[in-house]
Amino acid sequence: MVDVIRAWHPAVPQVQEVLHARFDHHAYPAHTHDSWTVLLIDDGAVTYDLDRHDHIATPTAVTLLPPQVPHDGRSALTDQGFRKRVLYLDADWLPPATINAATDSPTLLGADARSTVTDIHAALADPADAFAAECGVLALQEIANSRLVPAAETAPDAPLARRLREMLDDRLLESFTIAEAAAELAAHRSHLVRVFTTTFGIAPHRYVIGRRVDRARRLLLAGHSPAEAAAESGFHDQAHLTRHFRSTLGTTPAIFSRR
């Protein structure tokens, strides 16, 4: 079989590069990155040395490799290759204090870590879901921070959460990033996402999608076509509306409007 590699740079804050690859025989020599490397193994397993200590990456967990720390990599099974998905995130995605902890324990266990990374890659498949990908990167930041540097519980900042919700409501049809919202609200990006999710029980990007789907429903019932409903509800295009409409309501806009 032939090795397959796909790499791209999405327009998502803190994401330097995305790599999807399948290797049958390739082995990485020792090297470093200037970014945080978030590795997800889909098939096979990879053994690697990180700072001269042996580790293994399997499909059961997320591997987190810190910037500027040497590592290599090879298939753990001599008769089988491996398939992986990788996120390369800015060096300041996590604080410097986490580098040593990640070097000692680079495996992020738990279904929450794996599902969050899986959701990020799913969102990155469509540029229209850049907001969801950005929120996912910030959610993963919270998970990694909690594993690497456990912190004391802090009280939710409900007024800040309400300010963000007002902003999301006012700009429902616009495209903007959490980074831009955080700058305007004078808050840290990850804190902004955390307090919104804690206060309202839903992540910001899911709140926006739900509001847009509701708006599209009303437009469809008023006689608008799916294409018109998509354009007037803040979706990138009709396909973008259809995907989220089906996920939310279990049917497509076209079938919904006919009924």
Side-chain angles (χ1 to χ4, degrees), residues 96-116:
T98 60
I99 291 178
N100 287 339
T103 301
D104 292 338
S105 301
T107 302
L108 291 181
L109 298 172
D112 57 345
R114 182 172 178 83
S115 64
T116 298

Side-chain angles (χ1 to χ4, degrees), residues 116-152:
T116 298
V117 176
T118 299
D119 289 346
I120 293 170
H121 281 284
L124 289 169
D126 188 340
D129 284 332
F131 187 68
E134 183 190 12
C135 288
V137 169
L138 293 170
L140 182 63
Q141 182 184 64
E142 288 293 308
I143 293 171
N145 260 320
S146 68
R147 301 288 202 278
L148 299 173
V149 184

Side-chain angles (χ1 to χ4, degrees), residues 12-13 15 17 19 29 43 60 75 87 91 93 124 134 139 144 161 168 177 225 228-230 243 258:
V12 174
V15 181
E17 182 187 333
L19 173 70
D43 289 312
T60 61
S75 176
L87 300 172
W93 175 65
L124 289 169
E134 183 190 12
L168 297 178
T177 67
S225 70
E228 292 170 337
R243 178 154 50 84
R258 286 201 297 270

